[in-house]
Amino acid sequence: MSPALLLLSYLIIPVVGFLLWIGYLGIIAHHTRQSPQSIWAFIKQYIAVLLQLGAFSPFAVIGGLVFIRVYLLLISSMSQLGLQCVLLIINAAVLSGIVWATTLLFFTVHGMFINDRNMIASAWDSIRLVQWNLMSTFGLLTSVILIYSALFRIWQLAGPDTWFALIAILGNAFIGTGLTVATFIYFRDRYQQWQDIRQLIMEELRSRQTHE
């Protein structure tokens, strides 16, 4: 394969994967919404989500590369100076920051599809929802990671030339979809519960202001 075709494949494959991933999540959200949605509305929503995430992706990639570069330079400097304690603190801080950011923003795409919100508003909704349901959210994400990791190790036991490999592929797809559906249902129900509580609080405040 020529270098040009190789470079083109490196560019096309991530784009196609990104399109399929957004469509996959959109289909799941379409079937877990409480309110019905027409096919045309789904297509428009898919395009809107795709454009927003597509526009944000280059900035996220560039920001990630810059962060990795700075982090590696900082780690290299600390290692050369022999500051092992500082190195441990930096590693712990970076790891904690990544975990917290991932957890707080985990439901951003969920909100974009289920609630028809733009990316910024959906990210804010995700942060607030996780704050209101911190322990249960950690429990859900931990369970998803443990289940998927355990099953992934089981599927790896299948030989590439056996029928079990086909079963492993289908099983991995089935379980992975089930876990993804669980996160969408969790977001849908917890978001509605949060909105109901918020509405009650607002009505109570208005009632107090009226009586005063």
Side-chain angles (χ1 to χ4, degrees), residues 18-74:
F18 180 73
L19 295 174
L20 294 176
W21 176 66
I22 298 299
Y24 168 75
L25 295 180
I27 292 172
I28 292 177
H30 178 74
H31 289 89
T32 54
R33 291 170 62 100
Q34 291 181 333
S35 57
Q37 184 185 42
S38 65
I39 298 299
W40 176 240
F42 168 74
I43 293 174
K44 290 195 297 183
Q45 185 186 55
Y46 170 76
I47 294 174
V49 172
L50 190 64
L51 290 175
Q52 291 181 72
L53 294 179
F56 174 75
S57 295
F59 296 99
V61 172
I62 294 174
L65 293 176
V66 171
F67 173 80
I68 293 173
R69 178 63 176 173
V70 173
Y71 173 72
L72 292 178
L73 288 175
L74 186 61

Side-chain angles (χ1 to χ4, degrees), residues 48-211:
V49 172
L50 190 64
L51 290 175
Q52 291 181 72
L53 294 179
F56 174 75
S57 295
F59 296 99
V61 172
I62 294 174
L65 293 176
V66 171
F67 173 80
I68 293 173
R69 178 63 176 173
V70 173
Y71 173 72
L72 292 178
L73 288 175
L74 186 61
I75 293 299
S76 176
S77 300
M78 293 299 103
S79 299
Q80 292 177 0
L81 294 174
L83 302 176
Q84 300 300 324
C85 293
V86 177
L87 189 61
L88 290 175
I89 294 174
I90 292 175
N91 288 332
V94 170
L95 180 61
S96 299
I98 292 174
V99 170
W100 272 107
T102 302
T103 303
L104 291 172
L105 299 174
F106 182 81
F107 297 107
T108 299
V109 178
H110 296 62
M112 295 176 72
F113 276 114
I114 291 182
N115 297 329
D116 298 316
R117 304 269 280 174
N118 62 58
M119 188 177 65
I120 302 300
S122 185
W124 178 247
D125 287 343
S126 177
I127 293 172
R128 296 303 302 273
L129 184 139
V130 172
Q131 289 177 338
W132 277 77
N133 304 273
L134 185 59
M135 296 307 298
S136 59
T137 300
F138 267 120
L140 171 70
L141 298 183
T142 301
S143 299
V144 168
I145 293 172
L146 290 177
I147 292 172
Y148 194 83
S149 299
L151 291 176
F152 180 75
R153 290 184 176 275
I154 294 175
W155 304 139
Q156 284 185 317
L157 298 177
D161 300 326
T162 64
W163 280 101
F164 189 66
L166 177 61
I167 298 175
I169 293 174
L170 295 176
N172 185 59
F174 180 78
I175 298 299
T177 300
L179 294 175
T180 305
V181 170
T183 64
F184 272 89
I185 294 175
Y186 174 87
F187 172 81
R188 182 197 66 191
D189 294 344
R190 292 306 174 102
Y191 183 85
Q192 185 60 50
Q193 184 183 41
W194 171 48
Q195 290 297 305
D196 292 341
I197 295 175
R198 185 171 177 270
Q199 184 64 28
L200 289 174
I201 294 174
M202 295 299 294
E203 290 177 356
E204 180 65 24
L205 291 175
R206 292 194 194 98
S207 177
R208 292 183 179 181
Q209 290 177 355
T210 303
H211 287 89

